Amino acid sequence: MGTNSINGRGKSLVIVLTNVQDLRTNIYKQLLPSGIVEAQIESEIILMEALSLNKTALYSLSHVDLTRCQENKLNEIIKRRIQREPLSYIIGYKEFYGLEFLVDSRVLIPRPETELLVEEVLTLSSINSKCTLADIGTGSGAIAVTLSTLRPNFILHAFDISEGAITVAKNNAIKHDVIKQIDFYHSNLLEASTMKFDFLVANLPYIPTGRLDSLEPEIFWEPHVALDGGEFGIDLINELLIKFSNSINPQGFIILEIDHSQQQYLKTFTAREFPNINTVIKKDLSGCYRVVTIGPFM
Ligand SMILES: C[S@@+](CC[C@H](N)C(=O)[O-])C[C@H]1O[C@@H](n2cnc3c(N)ncnc32)[C@H](O)[C@@H]1O
């Protein structure tokens, strides 16, 4: 067993540490001063990544012999993370609805609350449903790819204004073997299509511009085009509802992710624009209004 020391940023990167628990504590102590809230969980993920171990293997080991390559990888991950680069970009993936999605700086890292959009579609359909669905602002493809795996008879169309995002989303569709089930479009909202859909699902950028500066530093690594929703965060949602609500089939639904602050506006907007159509706004697990469902449109 060696002595315990990982030297951090600015020092020589020497690791001679072999006790797993000490190693984890050491990573934790390096992350903490940078203000990383989930330093405990992240130190574990970093260790698993650097040592190519799963959780079970990590917990069953008391000591490890680090190779030079593993040492370098560990130090590189820590160095990037304490600069507040999101861990998902460093390790290259993020779990969403139980699936692993490839992510890099071309796409927003999928968030747990977006799983509620997937659940809403699942609730409004059945395993055998043959529906058409548009995922507008697909990003990593998290929504479209997940739904393709759970609704094998759906025909999916995924749209994004970012070519880089479309490339990442296609890679995720290949990874999960659903590439034949999804058509991808480089498009402003639904402009590239004249189809009508049973579901329009969108997690468009909805952060008010003025709030962006006050968010955690990790946000600045993510694409601006995935975050900034204009003065009140509602520009693209408005544009979608105004220009493309005729792209929905009579029995169809529009399902949107919103910011908590937009709930009252959307209630008023839908009551005025779609007076005879049901609008339901649900909260996420932290009690914030998050998912708007409008429909059916008949
Ligand atoms: C908040 S991210 C959501 C990504 C993904 N759907 C998710 O939930 O993780 C918003 C996405 O919308 C895309 N986007 C922004 N403006 C758009 C527009 N005018 N038309 C189509 N997509 C747009 C961005 O490139 C980004 O990928």
Side-chain angles (χ1 to χ4, degrees):
M1 201 187 349
T3 49
N4 299 348
S5 85
I6 307 174
N7 293 327
R9 203 155 48 138
K11 299 175 187 169
S12 63
L13 299 174
V14 178
I15 303 180
V16 281
L17 195 156
T18 55
N19 179 292
V20 175
Q21 185 50 42
D22 288 351
L23 195 49
R24 192 157 52 200
T25 305
N26 201 310
I27 299 168
Y28 171 77
K29 284 184 178 163
Q30 289 194 61
L31 298 184
L32 209 57
S34 303
I36 293 162
V37 183
E38 298 198 312
Q40 191 84 44
I41 299 168
E42 291 202 11
S43 55
E44 196 170 288
I45 298 171
I46 290 171
L47 204 46
M48 289 193 293
E49 192 61 27
L51 304 184
S52 305
L53 294 174
N54 62 26
K55 211 169 189 165
T56 317
L58 183 73
Y59 276 97
S60 62
L61 282 176
S62 64
H63 295 86
V64 281
D65 280 329
L66 285 176
T67 64
R68 174 59 64 187
C69 176
Q70 287 170 329
E71 292 176 20
N72 290 343
K73 192 168 175 189
L74 189 52
N75 284 313
E76 179 60 24
I77 296 174
I78 296 168
K79 193 171 145 194
R80 286 171 67 181
R81 187 61 190 112
I82 61 184
Q83 287 161 1
R84 302 295 295 266
E85 182 174 352
L87 185 58
S88 299
Y89 285 162
I90 301 170
I91 63 178
Y93 64 88
K94 171 75 183 174
E95 193 181 303
F96 179 84
Y97 217 88
L99 298 175
E100 209 174 81
F101 282 85
L102 307 167
V103 291
D104 61 34
S105 58
R106 291 172 289 182
V107 294
L108 185 100
I109 298 161
R111 306 295 205 265
E113 52 269 30
T114 304
E115 295 183 349
L116 296 174
L117 297 188
V118 171
E119 284 188 348
E120 193 67 2
V121 176
L122 295 179
T123 305
L124 293 168
S125 62
S126 70
I127 180 88
N128 297 318
S129 301
K130 291 182 177 167
C131 294
T132 51
L133 182 146
D135 173 17
I136 307 146
T138 194
S140 63
I143 298 170
V145 169
T146 303
L147 283 169
S148 300
T149 68
L150 298 168
R151 290 287 179 262
N153 295 322
F154 269 33
I155 296 168
L156 291 111
H157 298 253
F159 300 80
D160 207 291
I161 202 159
S162 154
E163 275 187 274
I166 293 289
T167 305
V168 175
K170 279 184 180 167
N171 287 339
N172 278 312
I174 292 166
K175 178 177 164 71
H176 293 291
D177 204 18
V178 290
I179 188 74
K180 289 194 182 131
Q181 210 183 323
I182 311 174
D183 284 333
F184 291 91
Y185 304 84
H186 177 220
S187 168
N188 176 41
L189 300 174
L190 279 172
E191 278 173 7
S193 172
T194 52
M195 271 186 68
K196 285 190 187 290
F197 299 91
D198 299 314
F199 290 100
L200 298 186
V201 182
N203 175 19
L204 286 163
Y206 59 66
I207 301 174
T209 309
R211 206 200 289 163
L212 283 168
D213 279 346
S214 63
L215 299 174
E216 290 294 310
E218 281 81 358
I219 285 280
F220 298 101
W221 294 80
E222 297 188 272
H224 188 80
V225 69
L227 300 166
D228 189 352
E231 189 178 0
F232 300 105
I234 208 83
D235 288 3
L236 283 159
I237 293 174
N238 254 338
E239 191 180 341
L240 179 73
L241 291 175
I242 291 166
K243 284 195 190 160
F244 297 103
S245 57
N246 57 354
S247 299
I248 194 90
N249 281 327
Q251 74 281 14
F253 294 88
I254 299 178
I255 302 171
L256 306 169
E257 183 169 326
I258 59 160
D259 180 69
H260 189 63
S261 63
Q262 293 149 2
Q263 180 254 1
Q264 193 52 52
Y265 171 84
L266 271 152
K267 256 176 104 173
T268 311
F269 178 95
T270 54
R272 189 181 67 235
E273 298 296 323
F274 313 119
N276 303 315
I277 298 161
N278 205 23
T279 297
V280 178
I281 308 187
K282 291 185 185 166
K283 292 180 178 174
D284 62 20
L285 291 175
S286 48
C288 296
Y289 288 105
R290 193 62 67 197
V291 180
V292 182
T293 303
I294 312 165
F297 270 72
M298 48 191 140

